[in-house]
Amino acid sequence: MSDSLASLDAVAQAALVAKGELTPRELVEAAIARAERLDPQLGAIVSPLFDEARRAASAALPDGPLRGVPFLIKDIGATQAGQPQFMGNRALRDAGHRAPRDTYLGARLRRAGLVTLGTSNTPEFGLQSTTQPLAFGPTRNPWDPARSTSGSSGGSCAAVAAGIVPIAHANDGAGSIRLPAAWCGLVGLKPSRGRIALEPTWIGRSFVGFGVTRSVRDAALLLDAVHGNEAGDLFVLAPPSRPYRLEVGADPGRLRIGLLTQIRDVRVHPDCSAAAQAAAKCLEALGHAVEEAWPEALFDEERALRMLAFGPLEYRMCLRTLERLLARPVEPDDVESFLWTIAGLDWPPVTAEAYLEAAEWRQGWATRVAAWWAGGFDLLVTPTVCEPPALLSELAAGAGGPWELLERLGPHMAFTEPFNVTGQPAISLPLQVTAQGLPVGVQLVAALGREDLLLRVASQLEQAMPWSGRRPRLHA
């Protein structure tokens, strides 16, 4: 069964509504039909909200730039009042927990005119770079259902890649937008820290909420719709000089670009390094100056030791959050052993002084990394992930203990997580495929606040190395 709407991006679908050629209800009904047909094979949607979507589409939607476009909201990091919120956790699922209010981003997504069809799958508390929570089962990659979508925004990425919806909410604390975008053949923009208002309860420096799209222009329009600060924000950026949608197709000028294809102690698959090299050659052909160069601070050997101060504490905070939502103590059976085991780690012992010292060191490290862009470079090009989409069976929690799983998943974030710490914007583009037809992403990183430059160059690459004609095996 063919559905022509499944091939249209969000800008095109919104234009049909704006011109009166289709109603929001018609767009939503078509998306629901696609979801009912495809999601049993994908496992992308945790909580279908089809009746609510029909009611919203039939009512007076906000007159935003994406009015009437069907959409999924990831089951962690942003909420809309009254919707189920399980965060990949079985105890919240069994309690039927629902979000009490719209978060900042949840409200902005409503005001954009998007119609939420449901919530999308995520690993428990977004802690893994594969989306196969025990509470809901795996999300399957539409390019090869035996393979992972990566994570933690895997449900959103699978649904967009398969054509169920053209755009979906996602968020990124160490690569959770860019990693699944790379494995699902999508555009994954992580905006700068401070570009989009962060909830007061999210005090971490690395987290940002946004979305995943199929086209660069969709990413630009979504950023126009949701950027901006709220009173009291910890991190604030000056607003853009003009709408981001005007950056798509704009001339970026001749840029100086660094290329990084290998990271110390991480095995990078030849297809992934080759994809970054192919992007570099294309950028050279477009008139940019490209050289093998990168911030030396990325390879500071002290960083891994310093980061040990954060991991177990952040996992324990997940347990504290769960206790608050359940209004009772958390037991081992409430969470996966991966979380329970790492949260219980007491080595190295972290005192308050050691934590603060590590935080100071991390900020100094971030400053040293970011200084490379101020020193004459405009962009850095890297692979997004160190390997093509992996088999679900290789990443399953039961395949080994929590430590084996952590060791397997950790390298996935080698190219992405540093730029959560620095706060810089980065985008993954689906520029290549393997001989087996699996997507491979390439990451571009700009200086803080330069989403405009990322969008201009991403638009150049979208024209020179187009991906819109590729379709995964499972597609509407």
Side-chain angles (χ1 to χ4, degrees):
M1 179 178 175
S2 175
D3 183 344
S4 59
L5 290 174
S7 298
L8 299 182
D9 67 2
V11 169
Q13 292 195 29
L16 292 175
V17 171
K19 291 184 289 188
E21 295 181 19
L22 285 177
T23 66
R25 178 64 182 262
E26 288 171 323
L27 282 185
V28 165
E29 288 291 356
I32 290 171
R34 295 192 295 268
E36 290 176 336
R37 187 167 73 251
L38 285 173
D39 195 56
Q41 303 167 72
L42 290 173
I45 301 174
V46 169
S47 300
L49 301 171
F50 298 158
D51 289 340
E52 293 91 332
R54 289 183 174 108
R55 288 193 293 270
S58 299
L61 286 168
D63 191 22
L66 292 162
R67 181 173 176 267
V69 175
F71 175 78
L72 292 174
I73 193 164
K74 181 180 173 182
D75 195 20
I76 192 170
T79 62
Q80 294 176 331
Q83 293 174 354
Q85 183 193 31
F86 305 142
M87 295 185 266
N89 174 259
R90 56 192 169 214
L92 291 175
R93 177 201 64 193
D94 294 346
H97 179 260
R98 290 183 175 264
R101 61 181 180 85
D102 285 8
T103 58
Y104 291 153
L105 183 54
R108 292 179 184 192
L109 293 168
R110 283 193 198 270
R111 291 198 294 270
L114 293 160
V115 181
T116 303
L117 298 189
T119 63
S120 63
N121 204 8
T122 183
E124 188 175 58
F125 293 104
L127 295 175
Q128 299 176 18
S129 58
T130 185
T131 304
Q132 43 196 120
L134 299 181
F136 299 102
T139 297
R140 299 184 177 277
N141 194 315
W143 295 86
D144 178 352
R147 297 184 183 271
S148 171
T149 56
S150 189
S152 63
S153 305
S156 288
C157 285
V160 174
I164 293 174
V165 291
I167 190 169
H169 165 245
N171 42 46
D172 195 314
S176 289
I177 289 174
R178 291 159 288 160
L179 300 178
W183 278 12
C184 291
L186 300 177
V187 175
L189 171 64
K190 180 196 79 71
S192 299
R193 178 167 58 229
R195 180 61 67 206
I196 297 171
L198 193 63
E199 289 299 303
T201 52
W202 288 93
I203 62 171
R205 294 172 177 267
S206 66
F207 190 82
V208 61
F210 187 55
V212 289
T213 66
R214 294 187 209 136
S215 64
V216 174
R217 69 177 188 173
D218 275 7
L221 188 60
L222 182 63
L223 192 56
D224 279 332
V226 302
H227 79 79
N229 298 111
E230 298 283 347
D233 274 356
L234 283 174
F235 307 106
V236 178
L237 287 178
S241 60
R242 62 179 185 174
Y244 286 111
R245 65 182 180 276
L246 299 181
E247 307 301 346
V248 179
D251 182 3
R254 187 174 189 268
L255 305 177
R256 188 182 182 196
I257 298 172
L259 172 65
L260 171 65
T261 61
Q262 302 292 327
I263 283 194
R264 185 180 300 162
D265 300 327
V266 173
R267 181 185 177 276
V268 179
H269 192 282
D271 285 342
C272 299
S273 58
Q277 290 162 353
K281 289 179 180 177
C282 181
L283 289 166
E284 282 185 321
L286 289 166
H288 303 296
V290 182
E291 58 189 285
E292 290 193 1
W294 53 84
E296 288 296 328
L298 281 174
F299 300 108
D300 192 312
E301 293 183 354
E302 190 177 353
R303 183 168 179 259
L305 182 61
R306 294 286 187 173
M307 293 304 101
L308 288 174
F310 301 103
L313 293 179
E314 291 171 352
Y315 280 56
R316 285 172 213 160
M317 283 301 296
C318 293
L319 298 181
R320 292 289 296 274
T321 298
L322 184 58
E323 284 189 348
R324 176 176 55 81
L325 295 177
L326 295 174
R328 65 168 175 80
V330 172
E331 303 293 337
D333 287 346
D334 290 326
V335 297
E336 297 180 19
S337 61
F338 179 81
L339 169 55
W340 187 263
T341 301
I342 298 175
L345 180 69
D346 59 2
W347 185 91
V350 181
T351 63
E353 292 83 0
Y355 183 89
L356 290 173
E357 185 180 61
E360 288 180 359
W361 187 93
R362 182 172 64 176
Q363 186 56 33
W365 175 86
T367 300
R368 287 188 286 130
V369 171
W372 183 81
W373 279 260
F377 283 89
D378 299 294
L379 292 177
L380 179 66
V381 174
T382 79
T384 305
V385 199
C386 63
E387 64 177 324
L391 293 169
L392 284 164
S393 58
E394 295 177 358
L395 307 180
W403 300 114
E404 285 186 32
L405 182 59
L406 188 63
E407 185 175 350
R408 180 70 175 83
L409 298 178
H412 291 164
M413 296 169 274
F415 289 103
T416 56
E417 187 266 347
F419 307 111
N420 291 86
V421 178
T422 65
Q424 294 169 243
I427 191 169
S428 179
L429 300 175
L431 297 182
Q432 295 283 303
V433 293
T434 68
Q436 294 75 37
L438 299 173
V440 177
V442 174
Q443 177 180 235
L444 310 179
V445 188
L448 187 71
R450 293 306 310 271
E451 289 89 346
D452 58 339
L453 187 60
L454 280 184
L455 291 166
R456 291 176 198 172
V457 178
S459 178
Q460 280 192 317
L461 289 169
E462 187 176 32
Q463 293 300 311
M465 304 175 72
W467 56 79
S468 63
R470 298 184 196 137
R471 293 286 181 272
R473 184 187 308 179
L474 292 177
H475 192 274

